[in-house]
Amino acid sequence: MTKIVLRIAGYLALGTVCVAALAASAFYVWDPGSAIAPKAASGKAAHGHGGAEGDHHDEGVTLTDAQITAAGIELLQAGPRELRDVLRLNGIIQPNQETLVKVTPRFPGVIRSMRKRLGDRVRKDEVLATVESNQSLTTYDLKAPIDGTVIDRDGTLGEFASEARPLFTIADLSTMWIDFAVYRRDFGKVRIGDPVTIDVGDGGPAIEAWIDYVSPIGAADTQSAIVRAVVANDGRLRPGLFVDGRVVLSARPVEVAVRSNALQTLEGRTVVFVREGDTFAARDVELGGRDADWVEVMFGVLPGDTYAAKNSFVIKAEIGKASAAHEH
C-alpha cells in the first residue's frame, strides 16, 4: 500500500514539472518582446506620420533604381516654390518686323540669275540675283542690305522683275516676335512688362520673357487683340509655328510645394509617396493653395523629402497588388 502511494505521488510530481515546462516554452515563443517576434512583411513600410502605431502599415512598396527608371517615375525634392496665377494664351512665332527687309530691283528688267534660295543665310552686300535693265540693257547686281536669312523669294530665271515687287525678303532671325491672342474678357489683365513663360513644344525648356507690346486695335475675325513678346532666338524658334504662353498675373511664395501629379488618392485620403531608403511610403498630406503645376503642402511632407511626381500612380498600383495578395 505504501509503494502504491509513493508511485502516485511520483506521477503527480512529474506531471507538474511537464506543465511548468510547457508554460515556460509557450511564453518564450509568443512573448511580443522576444527576439524572434514576427516581422513586418518584406517590401512594406509603416505609416509613421500622424497615425497610431500600426495604422496603414501596408501602404508602402520597395522599388529599385532600375524599376523606378523602367516605370518612368520622376523623383523630385519638396521645397519652397512660387505659386503663380497665370493666364494661358495661344501664340504664333513671327519674324521680327523691325529687322526685316524686302529687296526689290532698282530698275525693271529680266532676271538673269538667282543666286540665293529660301532659307539661305546671307551677309550684307552679298549678291542675291542679277537683273538686266530694260532701259540700259546692262546687267546689275541685286545685293543683300543686311545680314540675315532669306525667308521669302518671289522670282525665277528669265522672269520680268518690277521695282514694285520684292524678289527677296531677308530677316534677322536672332530675335523673334511671339504674338499672343488675348480675348476681350482678359484685356485688362495683361500689361506691358508682365512676365510670360513660353512653351515651344519641342521638349526643351520653357522660355522666360516679358510682354513688350499690347495692341490697341482688335481683330474683327477673331475678336481678339495681340500682345507681343520679343524673344532671343537660339535656333528653336521658327516663323509660322504655334506656341503656348502663360502670363504671370500674380505670384505667392510657399515654404513647401510638390508637383500636382504627385498627389494620389488612397482609401479616400490624399497622399504623396515619399522615398524612405528603398521604400516609397504613403504620406497623408494637408494641402493649401495651388497653381497649374504645383500645390502647397501644409503638413505631411518636409522640405528636402524626395517624392514621386510623374507616374506616381505606378506606386499606387503596386500597393494595391500587395494588399490584394496579402488578403489572400
Side-chain angles (χ1 to χ4, degrees):
M1 183 66 177
T2 302
K3 291 181 179 181
I4 293 173
V5 171
L6 291 174
R7 186 175 298 175
I8 292 173
Y11 288 155
L12 290 174
L14 179 60
T16 302
V17 170
C18 291
V19 170
L22 287 173
S25 175
F27 176 81
Y28 177 75
V29 172
W30 298 108
D31 178 10
S34 167
I36 60 172
K39 297 181 180 180
S42 176
K44 298 181 180 180
H47 182 85
H49 295 268
E53 183 178 357
D55 286 353
H56 314 302
H57 64 279
D58 287 338
E59 295 183 348
V61 64
T62 298
L63 295 176
T64 64
D65 290 339
Q67 290 172 320
I68 292 171
T69 302
I73 297 172
E74 179 186 30
L75 298 181
L76 296 177
Q77 278 195 336
R81 181 65 56 175
E82 195 174 67
L83 300 184
R84 299 178 171 183
D85 179 19
V86 301
L87 175 65
R88 294 181 177 271
L89 300 173
N90 296 320
I92 186 170
I93 304 172
Q94 305 272 21
N96 186 336
Q97 298 294 315
E98 295 176 353
T99 60
L100 180 148
V101 178
K102 295 182 180 294
V103 184
T104 59
R106 287 175 295 163
F107 310 103
V110 178
I111 300 172
R112 292 307 182 191
S113 70
M114 295 287 283
R115 300 189 183 181
K116 296 300 178 181
R117 298 176 297 178
L118 193 66
D120 285 349
R121 293 187 178 183
V122 298
R123 306 290 294 179
K124 182 180 179 180
D125 294 329
E126 191 172 354
V127 176
L128 304 174
T130 58
V131 179
E132 181 183 295
S133 172
N134 278 357
Q135 296 176 358
S136 63
L137 299 181
T138 59
T139 301
Y140 65 90
D141 294 333
L142 194 62
K143 297 181 179 181
I146 62 171
D147 294 347
T149 302
V150 177
I151 64 170
D152 191 23
R153 192 182 92 155
D154 186 12
T156 58
L157 189 64
E159 184 180 3
F160 178 78
S162 167
E163 70 270 33
R165 187 189 73 186
L167 289 186
F168 295 90
T169 302
I170 299 174
D172 179 359
L173 301 181
S174 61
T175 61
M176 305 292 283
W177 283 0
I178 310 294
D179 286 350
F180 297 102
V182 179
Y183 294 99
R184 65 177 68 195
R185 65 177 178 271
D186 297 319
F187 283 170
K189 298 179 181 178
V190 185
R191 296 175 176 84
I192 293 176
D194 284 347
V196 57
T197 301
I198 302 167
D199 182 5
V200 181
D202 60 357
I207 298 173
E208 301 293 336
W210 291 266
I211 298 299
D212 182 76
Y213 169 78
V214 176
S215 174
I217 303 171
D221 55 345
T222 61
Q223 291 295 293
S224 64
I226 294 296
V227 300
R228 177 177 298 139
V230 181
V231 180
N233 183 19
D234 59 359
R236 297 172 60 196
L237 304 177
R238 301 191 179 191
L241 298 182
F242 293 108
V243 297
D244 293 324
R246 292 183 295 175
V247 178
V248 179
L249 304 178
S250 64
R252 180 176 68 89
V254 298
E255 293 184 1
V256 184
V258 298
R259 279 278 188 184
S260 298
N261 56 10
L263 302 179
Q264 296 293 332
T265 302
L266 207 60
E267 297 179 354
R269 302 163 8 249
T270 301
V271 301
V272 171
F273 296 115
V274 175
R275 195 178 192 189
E276 300 173 352
D278 293 332
T279 300
F280 286 95
R283 298 260 193 96
D284 290 1
V285 290
E286 180 182 339
L287 305 179
R290 66 173 67 204
D291 62 19
D293 301 310
W294 300 89
V295 58
E296 179 184 12
V297 179
M298 308 291 290
F299 176 81
V301 176
L302 299 175
D305 281 346
T306 299
Y307 66 93
K310 180 182 177 182
N311 289 343
S312 60
F313 65 87
V314 174
I315 300 174
K316 177 180 177 180
E318 289 298 320
I319 291 177
K321 292 178 185 178
S323 297
H326 182 72
E327 290 175 358
H328 289 83

